[in-house]
């Protein structure tokens, strides 16, 4: 599969831009910088690819980023997305909490926008790697907004999380940590009904959720 644009052009190698040092202008997660970062990783991680030429569509937000990159489901795999997120996380180590969260959120939004969750007609294949990316995104959002995290969990349940036992236990733990034990129990019950958790595993997860709720309430 070839990047969109000229059929005879090969993507030039790009080194991912470094993160700005403290005090420098923060442009590392602008659309242009993030686009260059992903381009560089594609060249490094995927090697040289050929493709049929295709036109890129103009759009807003994540759609615009995807089209500009010319990414396809063949190139932008869940495994690549997971390694890209891991690199961004390493680059964000040691940053102030707000700056770290802002940069990671921008990366997760672009990556999950390209992958899709599987429950919205946007793809979402790739098994475990795609699920892990979405789960880490939900946990990141939970640091600042329970409602934003819950919205991601709900989206996952109709897509990449539906067949994953860890989804139901993670959802239960999240709900318990935010004082919603009934929602935690309901998540585990859905896991049992879906055949992804056996009763013993659900009870064990419920006990863990109850302990988490007690700690948070203390």
């Amino acid at each position: 599969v070839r990047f969109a644009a000229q059929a005879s052009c090969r993507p030039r190698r790009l080194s991912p831009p470094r993160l700005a040092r403290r005090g420098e202008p923060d442009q590392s997660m602008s659309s242009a910088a993030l686009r260059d970062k992903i381009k560089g990783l594609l060249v490094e991680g995927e090697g040289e690819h050929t493709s049929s030429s295709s036109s890129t569509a103009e759009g807003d937000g994540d759609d615009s980023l995807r089209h500009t990159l010319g990414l396809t489901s063949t190139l932008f795999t869940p495994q690549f997305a997971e390694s890209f997120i891991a690199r961004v996380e390493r680059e964000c180590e040691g940053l102030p909490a707000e700056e770290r969260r802002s940069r990671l959120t921008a990366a997760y939004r672009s990556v999950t926008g390209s992958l899709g969750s599987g429950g919205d007609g946007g793809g979402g294949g790739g098994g475990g790697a795609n699920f892990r990316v979405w789960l880490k995104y939900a946990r990141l959002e939970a640091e600042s907004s329970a409602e934003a995290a819950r919205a991601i969990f709900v989206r996952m349940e109709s897509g990449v999380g539906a067949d994953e036992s860890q989804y139901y236990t993670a959802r239960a733990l999240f709900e318990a940590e935010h004082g919603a034990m009934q929602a935690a129990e309901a998540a585990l019950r859905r896991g049992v009904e879906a055949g992804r958790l056996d009763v013993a595993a659900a009870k064990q997860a419920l006990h863990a959720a109850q302990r988490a709720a007690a700690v948070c309430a203390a």
Side-chain angles (χ1 to χ4, degrees):
V1 179
R2 179 178 295 155
F3 287 100
Q6 300 300 322
S8 61
C9 292
R10 291 184 179 179
R12 62 189 179 89
R13 291 186 175 274
L14 296 172
S15 298
R18 67 174 178 84
L19 294 178
R21 293 197 183 109
R22 194 174 304 176
E24 293 180 342
D26 180 11
Q27 298 177 339
S28 63
M29 281 302 148
S30 66
S31 294
L34 186 58
R35 187 163 59 242
D36 286 346
K37 179 186 286 288
I38 297 179
K39 276 186 179 179
L41 285 171
L42 279 170
V43 172
E44 293 173 10
E46 299 290 345
E48 295 184 357
H49 294 270
T50 58
S51 67
S52 58
S53 60
S54 60
S55 61
T56 58
E58 293 298 325
D60 296 324
D62 293 335
D63 286 340
S64 178
L65 177 64
R66 276 204 308 285
H67 290 312
T68 304
L69 286 170
L71 297 175
T72 68
S73 58
T74 302
L75 278 179
F76 202 89
T77 64
Q79 291 73 25
F80 165 76
E82 188 173 36
S83 67
F84 168 68
I85 287 294
R87 175 177 288 197
V88 176
E89 288 176 334
R90 288 194 299 271
E91 292 178 347
C92 288
E93 289 177 359
L95 291 177
E98 283 301 317
E99 185 178 357
R100 166 189 165 273
R101 189 158 45 243
S102 176
R103 295 185 183 202
L104 284 174
T105 298
Y108 274 109
R109 284 177 179 169
S110 293
V111 164
T112 55
S114 293
L115 290 176
S117 65
D120 53 7
N130 196 4
F131 168 72
R132 288 190 296 272
V133 168
W134 277 94
L135 181 57
K136 291 176 76 174
Y137 183 25
R139 287 170 171 166
L140 174 70
E141 289 294 276
E143 294 177 11
S144 57
S145 171
E147 288 308 308
R150 185 171 287 111
I152 295 173
F153 274 115
V154 169
R155 187 173 175 185
M156 289 174 66
E157 189 160 345
S158 63
V160 296
D163 295 333
E164 300 283 347
S165 61
Q166 190 183 358
Y167 165 80
Y168 299 97
T169 56
R171 175 74 182 275
L173 186 60
F174 161 78
E175 296 292 1
E177 288 174 341
H178 291 84
M181 274 307 302
Q182 288 186 340
E185 294 171 6
L188 294 173
R189 186 163 52 249
R190 291 195 302 275
V192 172
E193 292 171 352
R196 301 305 168 189
L197 290 174
D198 59 35
V199 175
K203 286 182 178 179
Q204 184 177 8
L206 179 60
H207 291 155
Q210 290 169 336
R211 289 194 297 271
V215 170
C216 292

